[in-house]
Amino acid sequence: MGKRHLATALAVAAGLVTAALPASAAAATPPSLADFQLEPTNADLQGVVDQLDAELPKLGVQNILEQANRDDAPKGADCTSPALAPNTRPVARKFCFNKGDNDTTEWYPQGITTVADAQDDQHWGTKQAILVSWYDKQTDPVKGVRVSFLDTDTGNYQHVLLAYPYINSYGNPSYEPVTTPQAGDGSSVHAGGIVWYGNYLYVVDTRRGIRVFDMRYIFDIKSAANGDVTDSSQIGRQSGTYYSYGYRYVMPQVKGYSNPGGLATFPADNKCNASGPQKFSYAGLDRSSTPDVLTTGEYCADQGDPNLNGRVAQWPLDGNSGLPQLDSHGMWRAATAHRLPKPRVQGALSTGGRWYLSSTGGGTTGPGHLQAATGDGVLQPSGTEYDVAIGVEDLSYWPGRDELWTVTEHDTQRIMYSTPLP
């Protein structure tokens, strides 16, 4: 070491000067709330859905659960998955997909929510349900997003295709896949997080914001006089017939909340920005807050900078209507926002002032991770980081049971399961 460097080191050790830290070790700073605002979509989606309602029969959630057609999934002790091999947390409850859904490389599960998000009494009629979103990786045709409705009493489930409603060139109501950009010819919305709140299903759209669907408008294409579920290559109204890529049920979007500047842009390779519009990667609900809040967060690759680990925000909800709590200017603004303490977070939610984070492990072979966090503006890890299932995704909290639910995404390694709060 040269004399000048030695002198500097001695001065630092004596507390006479402050050593300059590398940029990657700099402390994170709280995000600006000004970056977290959404405006209602100006399209009259509900008006188009009302026209579809005049032409197509509907079925309610409880009835869909009662006749759920995926009844061949492994159940009880037969329900297991290699995804659970590295898990060190207790498994409270678990449900499997059938072989076709477990093995497919066309559809990938991402978001999860339960009836405990939807209702204070944690029931929908007489049923308790878990919902899982899937995005379609197929390129021809792109089918967008589907949601599995699982009956926790039986373990049976039913897929419902999400759709975007529009008026076609003949002036008739129709619908197309949920894609980005929304023109019927984009890639599938990733649907990395969902929240069922009252009558509404909130679905995150990575670059755009949040899409909203209504449980009261699930159309039964098979029962429609002019419906066809035998043709899996078409969707929407074609020559007077309604198609749905072969799915029996279709639920069209009724509302949307978007970045004021349109689709946001982010660096390649799952990297994030330190400021600006949020990336909408996953979602959760906090019923311990007043008012209830929807949580959204960012999945970010490790960029070696704590300001680029990602951000989470909490958006106020109206418990009476089930819709966003807008301000006097008609904007939906986040009530709080925080920096995440680690990169590669796949799901985040809060309850009772404490945060819970699921994060990616080692791809298709290494464990995921679960850890609590606390803080204001900048979250800090709290307690043990647990190894959990391979490929963990979104999180949902079931009050009363004190369970965290997640779903694993990799083909041949898919399972829905819960663990007690750490």
Side-chain angles (χ1 to χ4, degrees):
M1 179 182 293
K3 291 182 178 179
R4 185 174 62 178
H5 293 154
L6 177 60
T8 300
L10 291 172
V12 169
L16 300 177
V17 298
T18 302
L21 294 174
S24 61
T29 58
S32 170
L33 268 180
D35 289 336
F36 301 88
Q37 54 183 317
L38 296 171
E39 61 183 6
T41 302
N42 57 15
D44 182 17
L45 302 179
Q46 183 65 62
V48 183
V49 172
D50 288 342
Q51 293 186 50
L52 289 169
D53 190 26
E55 297 197 23
L56 298 170
K58 300 190 298 286
L59 202 65
V61 172
Q62 177 159 318
N63 289 333
I64 288 174
L65 293 170
E66 286 174 349
Q67 57 78 67
N69 66 345
R70 296 301 205 275
D71 58 2
D72 56 342
K75 298 177 176 66
D78 293 330
C79 174
T80 187
S81 171
L84 289 173
N87 178 56
T88 61
R89 294 282 303 159
V91 174
R93 291 188 289 169
K94 58 183 178 177
F95 295 98
C96 282
F97 300 106
N98 68 9
K99 181 173 175 53
D101 290 329
N102 184 54
D103 295 351
T104 181
T105 56
E106 176 184 4
W107 292 96
Y108 284 78
Q110 295 291 302
I112 191 166
T113 186
T114 78
V115 72
D117 287 337
Q119 295 275 107
D120 279 326
D121 66 4
Q122 302 175 17
H123 283 80
W124 197 266
T126 63
K127 293 290 187 180
Q128 290 188 314
I130 298 170
L131 276 55
V132 171
S133 63
W134 306 63
Y135 79 99
D136 171 39
K137 275 194 173 182
Q138 186 95 347
T139 56
D140 186 23
V142 172
K143 297 177 182 177
V145 179
R146 71 184 187 186
V147 174
S148 302
F149 285 67
L150 180 138
D151 185 342
T152 60
D153 287 335
T154 65
N156 300 338
Y157 62 96
Q158 175 81 47
H159 295 314
V160 173
L161 186 70
L162 302 187
Y164 184 83
Y166 70 99
I167 299 298
N168 66 19
S169 59
Y170 297 97
N172 296 313
S174 187
Y175 46 86
E176 63 188 16
V178 176
T179 64
T180 180
Q182 188 56 65
D185 56 358
S187 59
S188 299
V189 167
H190 201 71
I194 56 175
V195 168
W196 181 8
Y197 188 68
N199 289 312
Y200 297 101
L201 180 67
Y202 290 77
V203 179
V204 295
D205 183 338
T206 311
R207 296 174 57 205
R208 180 182 299 277
I210 299 174
R211 297 172 183 251
V212 182
F213 301 78
D214 193 330
M215 299 292 181
R216 295 168 294 188
Y217 296 94
I218 302 177
F219 295 111
D220 185 350
I221 306 304
K222 182 178 180 179
S223 298
N226 56 343
D228 186 326
V229 296
T230 64
D231 187 342
S232 61
S233 67
Q234 296 192 75
I235 189 172
R237 183 175 174 132
Q238 311 290 341
S239 301
T241 299
Y242 285 96
Y243 298 90
S244 51
Y245 290 139
Y247 287 86
R248 177 171 181 174
Y249 300 106
V250 171
M251 181 161 57
Q253 183 177 339
V254 295
K255 293 181 182 294
Y257 300 88
S258 304
N259 292 314
L263 294 180
T265 57
F266 303 99
D269 302 320
N270 293 313
K271 295 179 180 179
C272 291
N273 300 317
S275 61
Q278 184 184 38
K279 180 187 293 185
F280 291 86
S281 303
Y282 44 84
L285 182 72
D286 188 345
R287 281 189 172 272
S288 71
S289 175
T290 303
D292 298 340
V293 292
L294 179 79
T295 298
T296 60
E298 298 178 307
Y299 175 83
C300 304
D302 189 354
Q303 296 170 250
D305 182 339
N307 282 311
L308 296 174
N309 285 342
R311 301 164 291 173
V312 286
Q314 295 181 306
W315 307 80
L317 295 166
D318 184 334
N320 293 320
S321 68
L323 291 171
Q325 194 175 94
L326 305 182
D327 67 11
S328 60
H329 300 287
M331 298 290 289
W332 193 12
R333 301 182 192 275
T336 66
H338 312 272
R339 299 272 183 207
L340 289 166
K342 59 197 299 185
R344 297 189 295 271
V345 173
Q346 295 276 20
L349 55 78
S350 63
T351 183
R354 190 173 174 87
W355 287 82
Y356 300 92
L357 314 175
S358 64
S359 57
T360 297
T364 60
T365 57
H369 304 288
L370 176 66
Q371 188 168 28
T374 59
D376 186 15
V378 178
L379 299 180
Q380 301 295 330
S382 174
T384 302
E385 181 183 81
Y386 295 94
D387 286 348
V388 292
I390 299 167
V392 290
E393 288 289 317
D394 197 27
L395 289 176
S396 182
Y397 173 58
W398 195 306
R401 294 178 178 268
D402 271 351
E403 294 174 350
L404 284 175
W405 279 90
T406 190
V407 62
T408 60
E409 72 165 336
H410 300 302
D411 56 284
T412 73
Q413 300 188 77
R414 291 173 179 151
I415 193 167
M416 298 160 273
Y417 80 98
S418 67
T419 188
L421 287 182

